[in-house]
């Protein structure tokens, strides 16, 4: 049940806190006053909890320590990005001085940066691909040699141990890097990029160090024989490349190239990151259109035509560069026949009849169910890891254990399943005879003694009858479990390939069953393997538009689009019935305040006055340095409304203050750091020699307040905030509804929204976390709304 009592009670709540708020902006407030006020804020919060408990939607939760692994928390550690432009005097002055030529110059620079992003992303993909291919070739060649020798001596445990050991050593290296050097490089990186594009700052996610660990990590994960892929990490890599190039500086190397400083703003960086993510998809799958659609479907909260063009340009450059480099590497320079890392081989157009559509739907439903199961198992494992496997050394041990388990599964299948095929019918790089007769090879060994990507190709292209149903069934169970165990380990690897592989295997198995039931029909196994692969992946990630286009572009067959669309849509619907997509599950587990596409339904009767925080910590247009310093030390908030000074002493304790603007913590810190204050409060800002570059120089990592050196005498100086604050921040009246707040935040990428009363006085403050707290849940056809808790970690 939702509160429908209307916004009227805001006046009561507001008047209760008037004196507190007034005191907060008091210039003479001492530390003890602040401590007292802070306590009163906390008390106010807990009172509100009780007050609103009866309304169905509770208003406020104090920050709490919560059981790790809970899905109902928002973590306080995530800050928001600020996609709103601060139109202060400095910016206007800069625009006035530079004029139109600068706009043209900036636009040319933008296209040039996108060009570089496409080229560099493709080159990174090229290096990763070549390393994986070459190292895997050496590894599997040696293993094959060892099996061929020791099978005759009946000492197969030697190649087995060699396999386990090589897997463990390689994965150990990658896992140590991820666990100890850069933990944020773990996994595919897609959830983190999605959060970034949504407006949440995930610490260290777009740093060069992360990119290096990611690139080395993904090579070790795939060569180490884990059930993971290189495609997801490529998307993350593209984003890091974009963030790095567009900013013209590197925090990791502490180097500022002093270029592109006009792109040092959150919204500019976000646009480049979304183009980088798209370039990553494009390089990974050879899918330029799929890349653009991926950024649109999965990530960016802001989109327009200009961004579409630039992103498309980046994806095309990326595909072209990678194609060129790979073609040259494979000895066909200029042929351009290697468009992406994932090459599923050229598929023939498969004819399909109208009556086959229900079969594709069935495949979609199976994919949805299996995908939901995969997500559920992975979720349980993730919770277990958060609770019991959080120490870095334990995470390394777990990764090594999975590496050993992967080799063991493969070995047992080769050893125990009697699946022999005549040589020469299908292209197999390392045909192992093992216990087969002369002129035959072990089909399971052929699948395991190659990279997962090559195995997907085998399942898609090998002729019918290449695999026995039992072998396929055992493979499906093993690989399904291995891949769900692998995703979330402390290694850099994605889930696209393992799921395509599992899906292609069960697609093939179903094709055999169909053939068995309808013997007259000649079945095309490639068709069902491809549809199965799409269904399984769709059931896990719940992407539809972009995944359809990616699969079409990867297989080079537009005429196969309809079966894939039907399958993916049904897989998504079926999967959504049980749980969320895997990326959303991990985002929720991390407690990220992500804003979905739509506001929670039936919340038009939840008002801003219930959502907002109050009393609000504000600053006056001209403040003393001591007061600003004390406030920044006391509270960790990142935004402060700037208000008019009270007209009289009496007014200070009885009324709210009129809103004049909004200033960020980072701006205040830069002002204090550069000592932009004076003993005389009346100094005009134009006398101070400052411009926007003062702020851009520090972006995006500003010093903390404790790092500033401020002398005691400086505290009595005055700081005029007017030239630096945003003089026209977005505001909403206290009677605005939650959906209205949500839409403003989501569409404009806001970070802070002051709530005002009828005469433009600040009565509350709303941030992303206040809104993200309201979440819709769906479970097996039921629906409701819950209010999340705010955790202190
Ligand atoms: P962010 O972390 O998103 O960058 P922030 O640090 O300013 O922004 P949050 O951490 O989101 O703010 O805020 C936590 C809580 O503090 C929210 O409930 C928010 O409404 C409240 N809050 C934020 N700024 C102020 C302020 N100036 N005065 C009072 N409460 C505030």
């Amino acid at each position: 049940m939702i509160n429908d009592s209307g916004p009227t009670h805001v006046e009561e709540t507001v008047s209760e806190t008037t004196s507190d708020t007034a005191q907060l902006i008091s210039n003479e407030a001492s530390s003890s006053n602040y401590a007292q006020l802070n306590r009163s804020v906390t008390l106010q919060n807990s009172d509100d909890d009780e007050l609103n408990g009866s309304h169905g939607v509770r208003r406020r939760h104090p920050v709490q320590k919560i059981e790790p692994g809970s899905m109902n928390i928002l973590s306080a550690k995530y800050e928001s990005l600020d996609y709103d432009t601060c139109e202060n005097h400095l910016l206007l002055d800069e625009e006035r001085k530079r004029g139109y030529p600068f706009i043209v110059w900036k636009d040319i620079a933008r296209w040039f940066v996108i060009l570089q992003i496409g080229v560099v992303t493709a080159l990174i993909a090229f290096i990763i691909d070549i390393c994986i291919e070459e190292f895997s070739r050496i590894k599997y060649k040696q293993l094959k040699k060892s099996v061929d020798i020791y099978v005759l001596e009946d000492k197969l445990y030697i190649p087995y141990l060699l396999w386990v050991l090589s897997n463990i050593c390689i994965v150990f290296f990658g896992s140590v890097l991820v666990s100890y050097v850069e933990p944020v490089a773990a996994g595919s990186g897609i959830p983190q990029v999605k959060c970034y594009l949504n407006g949440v700052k995930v610490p260290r996610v777009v740093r060069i160090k992360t990119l290096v660990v990611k690139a080395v990590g993904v090579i070790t994960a795939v060569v180490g024989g884990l059930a993971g892929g290189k495609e997801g990490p490529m998307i993350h890599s593209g984003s890091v490349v974009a963030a790095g190039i567009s900013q013209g500086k590197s925090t990791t190397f502490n180097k500022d190239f002093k270029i592109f400083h006009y792109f040092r703003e959150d919204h500019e960086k976000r646009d480049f990151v979304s183009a980088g993510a798209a370039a990553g998809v494009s390089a990974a799958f050879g899918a330029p259109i799929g890349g653009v659609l991926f950024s649109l479907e999965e990530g960016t909260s802001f989109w327009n035509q200009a961004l579409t063009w630039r992103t498309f340009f980046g994806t095309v450059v990326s595909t072209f560069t990678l194609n060129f480099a790979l073609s040259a590497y494979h000895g066909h320079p200029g042929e351009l026949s290697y468009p992406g890392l994932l090459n599923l081989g050229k598929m023939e157009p498969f004819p399909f009849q109208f009556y086959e559509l229900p079969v594709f739907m069935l495949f979609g439903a199976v994919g949805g169910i299996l995908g939901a199961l995969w997500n559920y198992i992975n979720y349980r494992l993730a919770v277990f890891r958060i609770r019991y496997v959080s120490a870095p050394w334990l995470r390394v041990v777990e990764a090594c254990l999975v590496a050993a388990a992967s080799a063991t599964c493969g070995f047992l299948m080769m050893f125990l399943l009697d699946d022999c095929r005549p040589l020469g019918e299908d292209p197999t790089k390392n045909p192992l005879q093992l216990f087969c007769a002369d002129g035959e090879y072990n089909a399971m060994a052929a699948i395991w003694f190659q990279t997962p990507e090559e195995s997907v190709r085998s399942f898609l292209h090998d002729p019918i009858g290449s695999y026995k149903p039992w072998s396929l069934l055992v493979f499906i169970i093993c690989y399904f479990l291995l891949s769900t165990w692998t995703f979330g380990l402390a290694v850099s690897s994605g889930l696209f390939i393992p799921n395509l592989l599992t899906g292609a295997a069960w697609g093939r198995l179903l094709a055999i069953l169909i053939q068995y039931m309808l013997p007259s029909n000649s079945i095309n196994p490639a068709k069902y393997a491809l549809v199965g692969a799409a269904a399984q992946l769709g059931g896990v990630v719940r992407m539809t538009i972009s995944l359809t286009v990616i699969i079409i572009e990867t297989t080079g067959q537009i005429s196969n689009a309809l079966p894939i669309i039907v399958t993916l849509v049904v897989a998504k619907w079926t999967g959504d019935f049980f749980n969320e997509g895997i990326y959303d599950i991990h985002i929720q587990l991390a407690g990220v305040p992500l804003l979905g596409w739509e506001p929670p339904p039936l919340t038009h009767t939840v008002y801003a006055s219930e959502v907002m925080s109050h009393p609000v910590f504000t600053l006056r247009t001209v403040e003393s340095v001591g007061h600003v310093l004390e406030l920044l030390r006391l509270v960790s908030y990142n935004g402060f409304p700037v208000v008019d000074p009270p007209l009289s002493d009496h007014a200070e304790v009885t009324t709210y203050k009129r809103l004049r603007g909004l200033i960020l913590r980072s701006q205040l810190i830069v002002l204090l750091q550069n000592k932009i204050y004076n003993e005389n409060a009346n100094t005009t800002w134009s006398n101070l020699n400052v411009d926007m570059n003062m702020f851009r120089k520090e972006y995006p990592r500003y010093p903390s307040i404790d790092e500033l050196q401020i002398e005691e005498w400086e505290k009595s100086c005055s700081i005029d905030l007017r030239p630096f604050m945003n003089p026209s921040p977005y505001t909403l009246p206290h009677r605005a509804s939650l959906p209205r707040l949500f839409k403003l935040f989501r569409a404009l990428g806001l970070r802070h929204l002051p709530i005002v009363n009828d005469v433009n006085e600040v009565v509350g403050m709303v941030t992303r976390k206040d809104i993200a707290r309201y979440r819709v849940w769906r479970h097996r056809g039921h629906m409701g709304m819950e209010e999340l808790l705010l955790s202190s970690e």
Side-chain angles (χ1 to χ4, degrees):
M1 200 179 75
I2 289 164
N3 170 29
D4 58 0
S5 58
T8 44
H9 72 273
V10 72
E11 301 302 345
E12 296 161 34
T13 346
V14 158
S15 61
E16 279 169 28
T17 56
T18 303
S19 54
D20 286 350
T21 316
Q23 281 184 62
L24 288 174
I25 59 165
S26 160
N27 218 9
E28 285 84 44
S30 64
S31 312
S32 58
N33 275 351
Y34 276 123
Q36 215 177 341
L37 293 172
N38 201 27
R39 203 163 50 242
S40 74
V41 171
T42 321
L43 287 174
Q44 182 73 41
N45 286 346
S46 38
D47 285 352
D48 288 346
D49 251 1
E50 278 172 34
L51 192 79
N52 295 288
S54 58
H55 294 155
V57 181
R58 284 160 300 137
R59 233 190 73 202
R60 181 68 43 74
H61 290 285
V63 171
Q64 321 195 352
K65 197 162 171 34
I66 296 156
E67 178 78 353
S70 164
M71 292 285 266
N72 303 328
I73 54 151
L74 281 187
S75 169
K77 78 175 179 205
Y78 293 105
E79 291 187 353
S80 307
L81 292 159
D82 207 344
Y83 292 151
D84 189 22
T85 317
C86 174
E87 287 177 349
N88 58 16
H89 284 299
L90 300 187
L91 184 83
L92 302 189
D93 196 46
E94 184 178 271
E95 285 189 351
R96 221 178 359 254
K97 279 187 196 146
R98 290 180 159 167
Y100 284 105
F102 178 67
I103 303 294
V104 177
W105 168 249
K106 203 169 159 183
D107 225 24
I108 294 172
R110 227 178 241 131
W111 285 94
F112 180 60
V113 169
I114 296 279
L115 177 83
Q116 291 181 63
I117 293 170
V119 172
V120 176
T121 305
L123 292 180
I124 291 173
F126 173 71
I127 295 170
I128 292 178
D129 194 50
I130 297 306
C131 289
I132 290 179
E133 204 170 292
E134 291 302 324
F135 289 138
S136 301
R137 197 171 51 80
I138 299 169
K139 176 183 159 191
Y140 292 119
K141 219 174 192 133
Q142 292 306 323
L143 284 177
K144 174 184 155 38
K145 223 188 248 171
S146 154
V147 173
D148 285 343
I149 296 170
Y150 289 106
V151 71
L152 302 174
E153 298 175 21
D154 221 6
K155 286 184 185 162
L156 269 179
Y157 62 91
I158 295 181
Y160 165 64
L161 289 179
L162 203 67
W163 192 1
V164 169
L165 210 68
S166 60
N167 271 15
I168 289 181
C169 290
I170 301 169
V171 169
F172 175 80
F173 179 63
S175 183
V176 165
L177 267 184
V178 169
S179 300
Y180 288 96
V181 181
E182 196 44 276
V184 80
S188 70
I190 295 178
Q192 288 89 332
V193 173
K194 191 172 165 168
C195 294
Y196 184 91
L197 294 176
N198 190 272
V200 182
K201 198 183 282 176
V202 181
R204 305 184 313 282
V205 77
V206 287
R207 288 214 192 159
I208 292 190
K209 192 162 118 192
T210 310
L211 173 65
V212 174
V213 174
K214 190 116 222 166
V216 178
V218 73
I219 295 170
T220 56
V222 181
V223 178
L226 293 180
K230 58 198 169 193
E231 284 66 25
M234 263 324 297
I235 297 164
H236 188 181
S237 303
S239 309
V240 184
V241 168
I245 292 180
S246 65
Q247 300 301 294
K249 68 179 201 174
S250 153
T251 317
T252 307
F253 298 117
N254 198 13
K255 183 106 192 92
D256 189 341
F257 297 98
K258 301 208 164 43
I259 48 170
F260 305 139
H261 48 264
Y262 33 82
F263 292 142
R264 292 180 193 173
E265 281 170 30
D266 281 345
H267 69 102
E268 292 281 5
K269 197 166 162 185
R270 170 202 57 194
D271 291 353
F272 287 116
V273 169
S274 67
V281 177
S282 168
F285 301 99
I289 304 171
V292 178
L293 290 175
F294 173 86
S295 270
L296 182 63
E297 185 177 6
E298 272 303 293
T300 313
S301 47
F302 168 84
W303 201 258
N304 70 14
Q305 199 183 35
L307 183 61
T308 314
W309 286 340
R310 281 198 297 274
T311 306
F312 185 54
F313 177 62
T315 58
V316 171
V317 170
S318 172
T319 305
F320 178 79
T321 313
L322 182 67
N323 204 335
F324 188 79
L326 281 178
S327 303
Y329 178 80
H330 289 286
H332 312 284
E335 211 173 78
L336 299 185
S337 43
Y338 293 85
L341 296 190
L342 175 65
N343 184 357
L344 295 184
K346 196 131 189 94
M347 300 283 294
E348 293 303 318
F350 45 72
F352 57 91
Q353 307 293 328
F354 180 71
Y355 59 78
E356 280 184 279
L357 285 181
V359 178
F360 298 135
M361 286 182 188
L362 177 76
F363 269 65
V366 173
I369 293 168
L370 288 180
L373 180 65
W374 197 96
N375 292 359
Y376 178 74
I377 297 173
N378 189 265
Y379 157 66
R380 299 300 324 174
L381 283 168
V383 172
F384 182 82
R385 279 183 191 122
I386 292 171
R387 291 191 184 155
Y388 308 108
V389 198
S390 53
W393 70 270
L394 272 176
R395 305 212 64 198
V396 175
V397 170
E398 192 199 3
C400 294
L401 196 69
V402 179
S406 306
T408 308
C409 274
F411 191 82
L412 286 178
M413 283 178 66
M414 285 157 49
F415 190 72
L416 299 176
L417 296 175
D418 173 30
D419 194 348
C420 296
R421 298 282 147 221
L423 267 171
E425 277 190 20
D426 41 65
T428 308
K429 266 193 190 162
N430 298 305
L432 262 186
Q433 186 174 351
L434 218 60
F435 307 119
C436 297
D438 286 346
E440 287 187 338
Y441 72 95
N442 183 306
M444 279 298 110
I447 285 294
W448 282 98
F449 270 23
Q450 59 186 0
T451 59
E453 182 197 329
E454 287 167 326
S455 305
V456 179
R457 266 203 300 273
S458 301
F459 280 138
L460 290 188
H461 297 282
D462 287 353
I464 191 146
S466 297
Y467 305 93
K468 287 189 178 158
W470 274 113
S471 314
L472 284 175
L473 187 63
V474 177
F475 179 85
I476 293 160
I477 295 170
C478 278
Y479 216 78
F480 182 92
L481 295 174
L482 273 180
S483 57
T484 188
W485 191 9
T486 304
F487 190 70
L489 285 180
V491 293
S492 307
S493 74
L495 51 75
F496 276 69
I497 293 289
N499 277 295
L500 284 177
L501 185 53
T502 314
W506 65 250
R508 231 183 146 89
L509 181 64
L510 288 188
I512 296 173
L513 283 182
I514 294 172
Q515 172 87 61
Y516 180 73
M517 289 189 296
L518 308 166
S520 56
N521 266 17
S522 79
I523 294 286
N524 177 0
K527 173 160 72 176
Y528 293 103
L530 181 66
V531 171
Q536 173 72 32
L537 185 54
V540 170
V541 297
R542 313 284 160 79
M543 284 155 44
T544 49
I545 319 161
S546 50
L547 197 53
T548 305
V549 176
I550 286 171
I551 291 177
I552 291 169
E553 287 186 290
T554 312
T555 52
Q557 268 311 333
I558 183 78
S559 52
N560 298 343
L562 188 66
I564 293 170
I565 292 171
V566 170
T567 309
L568 282 174
V569 169
V570 176
K572 179 170 167 55
W573 283 343
T574 314
D576 281 349
F577 183 75
F578 296 103
N579 52 27
E580 304 229 27
I582 191 67
Y583 300 136
D584 290 321
I585 289 178
H586 280 264
I587 288 170
Q588 281 177 25
L589 259 179
V592 180
L594 192 91
L595 297 181
W597 289 104
E598 294 290 338
L602 306 181
T603 49
H604 287 282
T605 47
V606 177
Y607 298 99
S609 52
E610 295 167 77
V611 178
M612 70 190 194
S613 294
H614 61 90
V616 183
F617 288 82
T618 55
L619 288 167
R620 297 187 300 188
T621 45
V622 180
E623 272 295 1
S624 86
V625 169
H627 177 76
V628 174
L629 210 59
E630 210 163 355
L631 181 64
L632 293 185
R633 284 196 181 127
L634 177 74
V635 296
S636 59
Y637 303 138
N638 284 299
F640 301 94
V642 180
V643 291
D644 267 337
L647 295 175
S648 67
D649 282 353
H650 177 66
E652 186 162 329
V653 288
T654 53
T655 61
Y656 292 106
K657 308 294 173 296
R658 187 93 36 102
L659 180 73
R660 291 290 301 276
L662 183 89
I663 193 142
L664 297 177
R665 164 182 284 266
S666 57
Q667 290 175 306
L668 291 169
I669 285 183
V670 172
L671 292 176
L672 293 177
Q673 189 187 21
N674 289 278
K675 305 202 182 293
I676 309 294
Y677 40 74
N678 211 297
E679 286 153 56
N680 180 359
N682 295 325
T683 312
T684 60
W685 73 276
S686 47
N687 294 345
L688 305 163
N689 190 18
V690 289
D691 60 18
M692 286 299 284
N693 287 335
M694 181 174 77
F695 296 95
R696 289 173 184 146
K697 210 165 74 205
E698 299 299 327
Y699 178 85
R701 268 167 286 284
Y702 302 92
S704 81
I705 188 68
D706 299 322
E707 289 169 52
L708 300 186
Q709 307 282 337
I710 308 269
E711 301 291 333
E712 204 48 44
W713 66 267
E714 292 174 279
K715 292 187 180 163
S716 57
C717 290
S718 295
I719 184 164
D720 185 352
L721 301 177
R722 283 168 294 189
F724 313 105
M725 69 185 190
N726 183 355
S728 51
Y730 291 99
T731 59
L732 275 181
H734 60 77
R735 74 183 79 84
S737 68
L738 178 59
R740 195 158 275 270
L741 290 170
F742 183 98
K743 280 179 195 154
L744 210 57
F745 263 87
R746 186 67 167 79
L748 300 177
L750 297 187
R751 188 177 189 182
H752 298 100
L753 185 74
I755 302 297
V756 292
N757 62 14
D758 294 337
V759 286
N760 202 33
E761 290 167 340
V762 185
V763 295
M765 181 68 133
V766 174
T767 65
R768 164 183 283 267
K769 284 180 203 119
D770 295 319
I771 295 181
R773 229 174 37 217
Y774 296 89
R775 193 174 65 195
V776 186
W777 58 262
R778 286 189 188 84
H779 191 64
R780 301 197 184 155
H782 297 281
M783 202 172 165
M785 192 173 72
E786 60 186 337
E787 196 185 337
L788 308 182
L789 303 168
L790 195 59
S791 105
S792 51
E793 289 153 13

